[in-house]
Amino acid sequence: MKKIFKFILNTIPRPILIRLSIVVRPILALLLKGNRFTDPIDGKSFRMFLPYGYGNQRNNVLSPSTLSLERHRLLWLYLQNETDFFTSTTKKKVLHFAPEQEFYKRFKKQTNIDYTTTDLLSPLADVKADICNLPFEDNSYDLILCNHVLEHIPDDTKAMQELYRVLKPGGMGIFQIPQDLSRATTFSDDSIVDQKERAKIFGQYDHVRVYGRDYFDKLRSIGFKVVEEDYTNTIAPELVEKYCLAQGEIIPVCFK
């Protein structure tokens, strides 16, 4: 199964994968129904989660029902338990980059947020836009979600500056990225152009860098106040395992 999923991820373009998954998802959820693992986004349980990874495959990480990964489930729990994202009575403007399927319909239904999605290619994007040149006014959004996007962007400094520009003063941004916390500094090498080599070194064929611990300070250099939220350490170990979270993943919570 791992080889099949790896082949699919590395050969089928992401926009097509998004459309195909709408059909495949309910079939997978039915076949893998059980009680070992639970997806906190929809509360459904399964005997196993699916493998995932463009380079090295990780076992039990892709939820059969929502297609969420570790980072999505962690973000959901953080928004649910530590913010007023779902409960605020004051309507907030939310900008979501490269919207994930597991969030898209749920967030769209929320009446307490004014929800806008953006991306260059995603069929789920309301606004087709380049993150380095956004068509939004300064100080526009109360919350910005940008989950595993910046590692794809050659000029991530410009992208971060745009995120800062369109965030309202006092607003919050959550900018998750693939992390290698064993690295002090971020690694990039533009000479690596072979897709298989990129997947091996960067973790995915279309990534351009591997972020190290200096990622948080780079966000600070843009102007953000950054909280390095080690959220899995606040969750009971049995739930970390049951929800298939990545122990020690840091959520970059940024304020303007």
Side-chain angles (χ1 to χ4, degrees):
M1 184 181 289
K2 290 173 71 174
K3 289 183 178 179
I4 294 172
F5 271 79
K6 185 174 180 179
F7 175 79
I8 290 171
L9 288 171
N10 283 284
T11 55
I12 301 177
R14 192 183 302 272
I16 297 176
L17 276 176
I18 291 173
R19 292 187 172 95
L20 288 175
S21 65
I22 295 172
V23 177
V24 175
R25 186 170 52 191
I27 299 172
L28 291 173
L30 180 63
L31 291 175
L32 298 177
K33 190 174 181 180
N35 57 19
R36 182 182 178 191
F37 300 116
T38 298
D39 185 337
I41 296 175
D42 64 1
K44 294 181 179 179
S45 297
F46 305 94
R47 59 183 174 85
M48 63 177 287
F49 277 9
L50 296 163
Y52 188 87
Y54 286 77
N56 295 323
Q57 291 264 302
R58 309 186 304 282
N59 290 320
N60 289 316
V61 293
L62 184 68
S63 166
S65 57
T66 67
L67 300 184
S68 66
L69 293 168
E70 308 101 314
R71 62 183 183 262
H72 305 126
R73 297 187 289 275
L74 185 64
L75 176 60
W76 178 273
L77 290 168
Y78 182 80
L79 291 174
Q80 184 179 63
N81 298 329
E82 307 300 328
T83 77
D84 63 353
F85 179 77
F86 295 104
T87 59
S88 174
T89 55
T90 302
K91 198 163 190 175
K92 297 184 178 182
K93 291 190 66 177
V94 176
L95 182 63
H96 191 173
F97 285 85
E100 300 89 350
Q101 292 183 70
E102 57 269 33
F103 296 144
Y104 180 75
K105 287 186 178 180
R106 290 172 173 83
F107 292 174
K108 276 286 187 183
K109 291 178 181 178
Q110 286 185 227
T111 57
N112 68 326
I113 62 173
D114 180 359
Y115 181 60
T116 301
T117 60
T118 184
D119 190 67
L120 272 178
L121 300 174
S122 173
L124 303 181
D126 299 319
V127 179
K128 295 292 193 294
D130 180 353
I131 192 173
C132 294
N133 186 25
L134 295 173
F136 309 118
E137 294 183 0
D138 296 357
N139 308 316
S140 294
Y141 291 95
D142 298 288
L143 173 65
I144 299 177
L145 301 174
C146 186
N147 187 355
H148 283 228
V149 172
L150 293 171
E151 68 275 8
H152 296 266
I153 310 301
D155 189 353
D156 65 339
T157 299
K158 178 60 176 173
M160 292 177 184
Q161 290 170 340
E162 281 291 270
L163 292 172
Y164 187 83
R165 180 182 66 80
V166 302
L167 185 66
K168 287 182 180 179
M172 181 175 75
I174 299 179
F175 309 139
Q176 290 169 285
I177 42 85
Q179 301 171 357
D180 184 353
L181 298 179
S182 67
R183 293 178 181 270
T185 58
T186 296
F187 171 75
S188 62
D189 186 343
D190 294 339
S191 69
I192 303 171
V193 294
D194 180 75
Q195 289 193 351
K196 289 184 178 180
E197 192 69 8
R198 279 187 173 274
K200 179 181 177 181
I201 294 173
F202 297 124
Q204 196 165 307
Y205 69 90
D206 54 352
H207 289 186
V208 297
R209 67 183 60 83
V210 179
Y211 282 107
R213 296 194 306 274
D214 59 342
Y215 172 69
F216 309 105
D217 283 335
K218 180 163 186 177
L219 289 169
R220 292 184 180 103
S221 74
I222 300 298
F224 291 108
K225 297 177 182 178
V226 182
V227 177
E228 299 174 32
E229 188 68 64
D230 189 1
Y231 194 54
T232 57
N233 281 334
T234 71
I235 301 172
E238 60 270 23
L239 290 181
V240 171
E241 182 177 353
K242 190 174 185 64
Y243 295 152
C244 295
L245 305 176
Q247 182 68 53
E249 179 178 351
I250 305 299
I251 304 176
V253 184
C254 304
F255 299 92
K256 180 176 178 180

